[in-house]
């Protein structure tokens, strides 16, 4: 069983839609949870990170962590065509040396 | 400009011919790491380094070597490449023991024939 599971998509939505991206994980020791965005032919860039359970909001993006269910989500409000990319979840223990990534969900926001 | 620079960006080579992918960062970061990205498998960590002369294995270290002789550089060495090492490789760096973001390079696409 993979440490982190993520639906690969692709997910296609109209501009302005609310997007929900999700990951599940198996290791209850994960403490830090991150979402990266990756455009084609580029390296991933960090969107958001959260520590332990709870919500974090940054502009149109909201990250949620439910440690009891081992489930994390990223919500994108008022999605834009520029949000079209692959979104990767990632997790780390409390030492920031090893990171575990999901396989990524490809999102396409149609104008 | 803060950058992680990888070279080469693309390489096609043959089985058994030693190759090195270089990675350099200009942010004075202590932590550096190498990943490979394969369809359906996502990013998998190969090796990481917490600081100069300190390296450790990630999840998929077999067939790879690294060294960290200088803070800014973290080369990935394939001593005897095989076709199953055909992949997209990323180098990343960040502050040590930090929740600050890892900065990624733009990737190196290796094809081993």
């Amino acid at each position: 069983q993979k440490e982190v599971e993520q639906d690969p998509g692709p997910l296609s939505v109209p501009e302005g839609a609310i997007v929900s991206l999700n990951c599940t994980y198996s290791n209850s020791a994960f403490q830090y949870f991150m979402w990266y965005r990756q455009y084609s032919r580029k390296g991933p860039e960090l969107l958001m990170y959260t520590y332990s359970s709870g919500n974090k909001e940054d502009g149109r993006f909201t990250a949620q962590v439910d440690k009891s269910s081992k489930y994390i989500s990223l919500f994108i409000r008022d999605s834009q065509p520029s949000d079209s990319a692959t979104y990767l979840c990632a997790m780390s223990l409390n030492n920031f040396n090893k990171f575990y990534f999901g396989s990524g969900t490809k999102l396409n926001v149609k104008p | 400009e803060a950058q992680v620079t990888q070279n080469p960006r693309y390489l096609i080579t043959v089985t058994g011919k030693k190759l090195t992918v270089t990675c350099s960062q200009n942010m004075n970061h202590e932590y550096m790491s190498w990943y490979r990205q394969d369809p359906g498998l996502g990013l998998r960590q190969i090796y990481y380094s917490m600081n100069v002369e300190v390296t450790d294995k990630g999840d998929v270290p077999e067939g790879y070597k690294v060294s960290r002789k200088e803070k800014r550089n973290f080369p990935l060495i394939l001593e005897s490449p095989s076709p199953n090492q055909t992949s997209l490789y990323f180098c990343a760096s960040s502050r040590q023991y930090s929740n600050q973001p890892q900065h990624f390079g733009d990737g190196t696409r290796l094809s081993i024939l």
Side-chain angles (χ1 to χ4, degrees):
Chain A
Q1 182 187 7
K2 289 172 66 176
E3 298 258 21
V4 182
E5 299 278 0
Q6 186 175 7
D7 187 333
L11 182 60
S12 188
V13 301
E15 183 175 353
I18 297 175
V19 175
S20 172
L21 303 165
N22 310 294
C23 288
T24 59
Y25 61 95
S26 56
N27 189 344
S28 57
F30 287 140
Q31 294 285 338
Y32 285 90
F33 304 89
M34 293 146 277
W35 285 96
Y36 283 82
R37 178 175 60 197
Q38 186 177 20
Y39 291 115
S40 181
R41 296 190 187 86
K42 301 293 273 185
E45 57 178 333
L46 183 72
L47 274 178
M48 300 188 70
Y49 74 88
T50 51
Y51 174 69
S52 197
S53 282
N55 293 2
K56 185 173 183 178
E57 189 173 320
D58 184 1
R60 296 185 295 113
F61 299 91
T62 300
Q64 284 186 354
V65 175
D66 182 350
K67 292 193 75 179
S68 62
S69 302
K70 299 194 187 79
Y71 189 87
I72 70 169
S73 300
L74 178 71
F75 298 96
I76 307 174
R77 289 184 298 281
D78 187 24
S79 55
Q80 303 294 309
S82 58
D83 294 327
S84 297
T86 297
Y87 289 80
L88 302 157
C89 61
M91 302 173 192
S92 173
L93 302 173
N94 207 20
N95 52 14
F96 296 105
N97 54 18
K98 294 187 76 171
F99 293 85
Y100 301 87
F101 282 78
S103 55
T105 299
K106 189 167 185 177
L107 172 66
N108 180 32
V109 181
K110 299 174 291 185
Chain B
E1 181 190 351
Q3 273 188 331
V4 177
T5 304
Q6 296 179 226
N7 280 296
R9 293 291 312 279
Y10 304 92
L11 180 63
I12 301 174
T13 187
V14 296
T15 299
K17 187 177 180 181
K18 181 180 177 180
L19 67 92
T20 299
V21 184
T22 64
C23 174
S24 181
Q25 50 94 3
N26 63 359
M27 294 165 280
N28 202 35
H29 285 163
E30 297 87 3
Y31 178 92
M32 297 186 76
S33 184
W34 275 103
Y35 298 86
R36 60 177 290 173
Q37 187 173 35
D38 301 289
L41 296 177
L43 279 163
R44 292 180 293 166
Q45 198 166 18
I46 303 171
Y47 270 95
Y48 63 92
S49 169
M50 301 300 289
N51 214 324
V52 176
E53 302 291 2
V54 181
T55 63
D56 209 344
K57 297 177 181 178
D59 279 339
V60 288
E62 295 78 19
Y64 303 95
K65 281 177 58 177
V66 293
S67 68
R68 187 91 182 272
K69 292 181 169 49
E70 304 167 285
K71 198 173 188 179
R72 64 181 294 129
N73 296 321
F74 190 44
L76 180 69
I77 302 156
L78 285 73
E79 293 268 4
S80 183
S82 62
N84 64 11
Q85 293 177 298
T86 292
S87 187
L88 179 59
Y89 291 84
F90 288 100
C91 179
S93 74
S94 73
R95 299 298 300 274
Q96 189 183 41
Y97 301 124
S98 170
N99 59 7
Q100 294 304 303
Q102 289 189 74
H103 294 258
F104 282 82
D106 282 338
T108 295
R109 186 166 291 282
L110 284 184
S111 293
I112 315 251
L113 306 177

